[in-house]
Amino acid sequence: MSVSPLILAVLVVGSVCTAPRTLAARELAGEDAAADAVMAARHEKWMAQHGRTYKDEAEKARRLEIFRANAKLIDSFNAAGENGHRLATNRFADLTDEEFRAARTGYRRPLPAAGSGRFRYENLSLADAPQSMDWRRMGAVTGVKDQGSCGCCWAFSAVAAVEGLNKIRTGRLVSLSEQELVDCDVYGDDQGCDGGLMDNAFSFIAARGGLASESAYPYREEDGSCRSSAAAVRAASIRGHEDVPANNEAALAAAVAHQPVSVAINGADYVFRFYDGGVLGGTGCDTELNHAITAVGYGTASDGTMYWVMKNSWGTSWGEGGYVRIRRGVRGKGVCGLAKLPSYPV
């Protein structure tokens, strides 16, 4: 049976119009499959690097999807090239925001316990202060610690500040016990791995007559019963604490010029969570307070950017060997809210 010229023309035109669409769909599917394979291989490499294993294939598939979303966010941030710091798919890259907040932050936001009302550095002229300060070089900072999966950043921040003051006063750098705070300072807002406040920790240490050493009362990454015998020997003591005037980076600089200072910050935002190096400028980081770190210095980068040096408690694989540099001299609440509620032991 012969085909009419009209029908033949329709068939030819239809095949010409349909073929490119089919080809494009196949190419797109191929690109997606290739991208999926690349991401899966990247996840496998990341798992090997961080020693991560999962209970079954279903859990692995779920974690891969979380990893994929975080990796795309990180890659997009770095590709923009508009920021003073870079991000990395660090060991937190397969955690959801909720999981990360629960395990790695722990600053509670109610009104902190009142300090003495005094700010002893209020009359300090910044012109007379050092242009840069690094308490690490002064031997007043212990090695970077890791809070693990316990939300007690508040204890690590407070302890780092007390360790620094103790070194300045006595000439001895002693690693002090975060676990004593986790186990024993469990009244009011301080609830061990469920969060707490540095000001309350300072008040607890002062009332108790001091804090035990890390070696006498080692960290266990979990809540426990207060061990009075382990805490009996005080390795360092303080009289109390004072608060830095809120939203005043000049006042914060005056305090840090004299001693390490506890700082509350937004540590759950992805620009902080995945920080890898450089000066964190605050793009995408709001001022919600949920994490605690310790200001141990300040300086100026080669391009003139002023920064704070902050000690974190997420181990040495995070950031710059466990530290973060954050832009200094920002008006108001500061980058990620760092100027809102600083305090220090006395």
Side-chain angles (χ1 to χ4, degrees):
M1 180 177 65
S2 62
V3 180
S4 71
L6 179 59
I7 294 176
L8 182 61
V10 170
L11 291 173
V12 170
V13 171
S15 65
V16 170
C17 293
T18 304
R21 294 178 189 170
T22 303
L23 182 59
R26 288 174 180 171
E27 288 177 347
L28 184 59
E31 289 175 1
D32 288 345
D36 287 346
V38 169
M39 188 60 72
R42 182 174 173 182
H43 183 230
E44 290 285 353
K45 183 178 179 180
W46 176 89
M47 288 174 59
Q49 178 185 355
H50 296 284
R52 190 65 54 90
T53 58
Y54 303 114
K55 63 180 181 180
D56 54 35
E57 287 301 313
E59 175 67 7
K60 183 177 180 180
R62 189 174 80 86
R63 292 297 168 185
L64 171 58
E65 290 310 305
I66 297 169
F67 179 87
R68 185 197 311 277
N70 286 329
K72 286 183 176 180
L73 195 64
I74 291 164
D75 293 347
S76 177
F77 180 93
N78 289 338
E82 300 171 352
N83 305 281
H85 74 291
R86 62 188 177 276
L87 307 182
T89 47
N90 58 28
R91 61 183 169 136
F92 309 132
D94 71 340
L95 300 177
T96 65
D97 289 346
E98 293 74 18
E99 289 171 331
F100 179 79
R101 282 173 178 261
R104 287 287 172 170
T105 59
Y107 178 84
R108 304 183 79 138
R109 186 56 187 87
L111 290 175
S116 66
R118 177 190 175 197
F119 177 57
R120 64 188 55 212
Y121 305 120
E122 61 184 345
N123 296 320
L124 175 75
S125 170
L126 289 181
D128 298 330
Q131 292 300 302
S132 64
M133 172 57 71
D134 192 331
W135 287 107
R136 295 173 297 182
R137 296 176 186 166
M138 307 293 285
V141 183
T142 59
V144 171
K145 302 178 183 182
D146 191 345
Q147 70 187 77
S149 57
C150 172
C152 62
C153 59
W154 59 278
F156 281 83
S157 173
V159 163
V162 175
E163 289 170 343
L165 180 62
N166 187 57
K167 164 64 178 179
I168 293 167
R169 281 181 175 168
T170 69
R172 297 181 297 109
L173 180 64
V174 180
S175 183
L176 300 174
S177 175
E178 294 84 12
Q179 192 67 45
E180 182 181 348
L181 292 176
V182 170
D183 291 350
C184 306
D185 179 15
V186 291
Y187 305 98
D189 291 317
D190 292 356
Q191 293 296 320
C193 293
D194 289 329
L197 294 163
M198 293 81 78
D199 283 14
N200 290 359
F202 294 142
S203 296
F204 173 85
I205 296 168
R208 199 173 177 85
L211 195 64
S213 67
E214 187 86 47
S215 59
Y217 205 141
Y219 186 60
R220 297 186 303 174
E221 198 179 320
E222 62 183 0
D223 291 319
S225 300
C226 185
R227 290 177 282 155
S228 299
S229 58
V233 179
R234 312 301 186 199
S237 62
I238 60 174
R239 296 188 302 275
H241 73 278
E242 295 176 356
D243 297 324
V244 176
N247 306 326
N248 187 335
E249 287 200 56
L252 179 57
V256 177
H258 288 81
Q259 64 184 101
V261 174
S262 285
V263 172
I265 200 166
N266 180 358
D269 196 286
Y270 82 96
V271 299
F272 188 94
R273 169 182 171 184
F274 297 119
Y275 170 83
D276 190 51
V279 179
L280 194 158
T283 301
C285 188
D286 66 31
T287 59
E288 173 198 359
L289 302 182
N290 48 49
H291 186 50
I293 54 181
T294 312
V296 297
Y298 56 83
T300 304
S302 57
D303 65 357
T305 302
M306 298 190 300
Y307 60 81
W308 298 104
V309 179
M310 303 280 191
K311 182 185 184 184
N312 201 2
S313 54
W314 294 343
T316 57
S317 66
W318 180 87
E320 296 181 335
Y323 292 87
V324 55
R325 286 180 294 157
I326 305 178
R327 182 182 287 273
R328 177 168 58 100
V330 176
R331 297 184 121 197
K333 299 174 182 178
V335 173
C336 300
L338 67 85
K340 289 174 73 174
L341 290 173
S343 59
Y344 54 89
V346 295

